[in-house]
Amino acid sequence: MLQSGKFEVILEGLSDQGFSVVSDFLDSSSVARLNAEFDELYRKGAFARAKIGKGSLASANDEIRRDEILWFDDRSLGPAQKEFWGELIRLKEALNERLFLGLWDLEGHFALYPPGGFYQRHLDRFSNDDARTVSIVFYLNDHWRPGDGGELTIYQDGESARIVEPRAATLVCFLSDRIEHEVQPAHRERRSFAGWFRRRKA
Ligand code: OGA
Ligand code: MN
C-alpha cells in the first residue's frame, strides 16, 4: 500500500532510530477545531490531575509530573477528536503493515501543562504492564516561541538526542520501552495529546 509522505517519515524514523518527529501531521484548520474542543472540555471541568503508574499503583506526584489530563473515550469524541483519532488508527495500521509491531489498540489523553508544569525524564512503559509499544505526542500550541519552555527532550543511549518544541501540528512517535523523554518546565500554558499504541496482552 502506498503511504502518504508523513507516514513514510514516521515509519522510517521509528525503524532507524526509535523515534520520529513530523511538523505537520494535521492541517491548521483541524488543529484549530481540536483546540476548540479542548477549550470546551476544559471549561466544563472534564480534566483531572495526572497520575503516575497504572491501576491501583497510580498516584499523583507533583515532583514528577504536573499536568491535567482528559482521557479520550472513542465512543464519545467530538468531530475534530474523531478525525484525529481516525488518522492515528490509520497510522497504527501502517505501522503494523510495515514494521510488524502487532499493535492492537490505542489509548490517549489531552494534557494541559500550566505555567511551571513539567514531566521528569521517564519511560512510558509501565513496570506492571508491557502493552504500550509506540508512544505518540501531538502538540496544539500556536505561536510557540523560544523561551516559552515546555520542550520535549528525547534521550537515546542515555544522551539527549533531540529537543522538540511543542508547536501546533507537530507529532512525535517513539518506542515506548526504549526512549526516555522529559517535558521541560513550560513558561506558558502548554497543550498536548499523549497516546499509546498497545499490543495485545499475551
Ligand atoms: C507523557 C509525555 C510528553 C509531552 O504524557 O507521557 O511524556 O510532550 N508527554 O507532552
Ligand atoms: Mn511520556
Side-chain angles (χ1 to χ4, degrees):
M1 190 176 91
L2 224 114
Q3 304 298 343
S4 64
K6 65 188 181 189
F7 282 10
E8 236 6 274
V9 173
I10 294 167
L11 291 163
E12 243 175 64
L14 275 178
S15 60
D16 295 352
Q17 55 187 5
F19 69 87
S20 63
V21 181
V22 298
S23 57
D24 51 0
F25 188 71
L26 293 186
D27 61 40
S28 54
S29 78
S30 302
V31 174
R33 288 185 296 110
L34 206 47
N35 258 318
E37 290 177 14
F38 188 118
D39 282 337
E40 172 76 22
L41 292 161
Y42 193 78
R43 230 175 337 167
K44 281 206 285 206
F47 283 56
R49 268 190 63 195
K51 295 183 172 183
I52 52 169
K54 185 179 170 72
S56 59
L57 298 178
S59 62
N61 182 336
D62 38 281
E63 299 306 308
I64 295 178
R65 72 187 289 188
R66 219 170 277 180
D67 57 327
E68 290 176 64
I69 65 170
L70 172 65
W71 287 97
F72 276 39
D73 173 352
D74 63 3
R75 292 158 305 180
S76 62
L77 298 177
Q81 288 179 293
K82 207 170 198 160
E83 188 189 313
F84 173 55
W85 194 262
E87 198 60 8
L88 293 179
I89 297 296
R90 281 187 284 281
L91 172 59
K92 179 184 75 137
E93 281 154 14
L95 290 170
N96 280 340
E97 239 170 72
R98 296 277 298 281
L99 303 182
F100 311 108
L101 290 173
L103 305 175
W104 178 248
D105 70 357
L106 171 61
E107 63 177 1
H109 58 64
F110 276 147
L112 184 136
Y113 290 71
F118 59 85
Y119 195 158
Q120 279 190 14
R121 183 168 169 172
H122 65 279
L123 275 178
D124 283 344
R125 186 170 278 182
F126 297 117
S127 53
N128 58 340
D129 180 346
D130 66 359
R132 286 180 169 182
T133 302
V134 175
S135 301
I136 304 141
V137 191
F138 182 71
Y139 297 109
L140 293 167
N141 308 293
D142 292 316
H143 316 298
W144 200 265
R145 293 201 215 125
D148 287 343
E151 298 88 354
L152 179 73
T153 306
I154 296 173
Y155 295 92
Q156 225 179 8
D157 305 321
E159 284 178 29
S160 162
R162 183 81 181 251
I163 293 172
V164 183
E165 289 191 332
R167 292 184 177 277
T170 296
L171 185 90
V172 181
C173 292
F174 52 86
L175 299 176
S176 306
D177 62 335
R178 249 208 266 157
I179 300 289
E180 292 189 344
H181 54 285
E182 171 175 14
V183 179
Q184 305 297 333
H187 305 311
R188 50 171 266 205
E189 182 189 290
R190 174 195 193 270
R191 296 169 169 210
S192 58
F193 166 89
W196 298 275
F197 293 131
R198 300 188 304 179
R199 343 179 259 203
R200 208 201 300 227
K201 285 194 198 139

